[in-house]
Amino acid sequence: MPRSVRCLSGNALKMIAVMTMLIDHTAVVLIENFVLRQGGSVEYLAMWRSVDNIMRQVGRIAFPIFCYLIVEGFLHTRDTGKYALRLLGFAFISEIPFDLAVFGTWFYPGYQNVYFTLLLGLLAVMGLDRFQKEGILWKQGMVMAACCGTAWMLSCDYGAFGVFFICLLFLLRSDPRQQTILGSISLLWEPAAVLAFIPIRMYNGARGNGRLKWFFYVFYPAHLLGLVLIKAWISM
């Protein structure tokens, strides 16, 4: 993509991801888990289902961007161990808000929030990078299989595919064209998600204001908890 079009910093890319995620989760918590469950006329419910579908399609843009940012984070962080620990910490912090928002209960062991997926993707990338430098192909395959399998067994959000997608973006990091083409093909089961490559290709490599770093970590559990509180308020 021409340099003149590459106008998005890392923070701008993250903001697009968190805003589209907010739209997606607003549909899940307030429309699917509240409005549609209240019942109503056929026309009323059809209208809200249409709104829900549009919002969920917008939300498909978020996950591929978060995956891309995991790869970028790995490539530019000074300490991958601390990076992984931050993801692990926020995975546990986010679990109760996630379960409350999506399943309406404090503890739901059958499905885990997306931070676990991103963590496993990062761990897979760490392994791929190490064994890629050593030229050991079978070990790269084992790392991918182990991390994808763990995501599947834990029933993480986006599951094994989420980890695989992060690995794909990492392995194709030096060829943006192939990364876009193969990444888009892998997302055809969620066609709207392919649109994520538009802002991704507009990324200029600049990280942006470092003071916003913790905002993006905290936003995930905070917005889920906020939606839970809004749902409780309108339910009164």
Side-chain angles (χ1 to χ4, degrees), residues 7-26:
C7 56
L8 297 179
S9 68
N11 280 350
L13 204 54
K14 290 174 185 176
M15 193 62 71
I16 292 171
V18 298
M19 289 299 103
T20 51
M21 178 178 66
L22 174 60
I23 291 169
D24 183 45
H25 290 164
T26 299

Side-chain angles (χ1 to χ4, degrees), residues 159-160 186 205 217 228:
S186 73
Y217 278 105
V228 169

Side-chain angles (χ1 to χ4, degrees), residues 63-85:
F63 184 70
I65 297 177
F66 282 124
C67 292
Y68 180 79
L69 290 168
I70 285 292
V71 174
E72 284 296 299
F74 169 77
L75 294 174
H76 296 104
T77 189
R78 296 177 181 177
D79 191 327
T80 53
K82 287 184 178 179
Y83 187 24
L85 285 175

Side-chain angles (χ1 to χ4, degrees), residues 69 125 179:
L69 290 168
V125 164
Q179 189 186 64

Side-chain angles (χ1 to χ4, degrees), residues 168-182 201:
L168 179 68
L169 295 181
F170 174 75
L171 292 172
L172 298 174
R173 64 193 181 280
S174 61
D175 191 333
R177 187 168 180 270
Q178 279 197 23
Q179 189 186 64
T180 302
I181 293 171
L182 295 180
R201 293 283 75 92

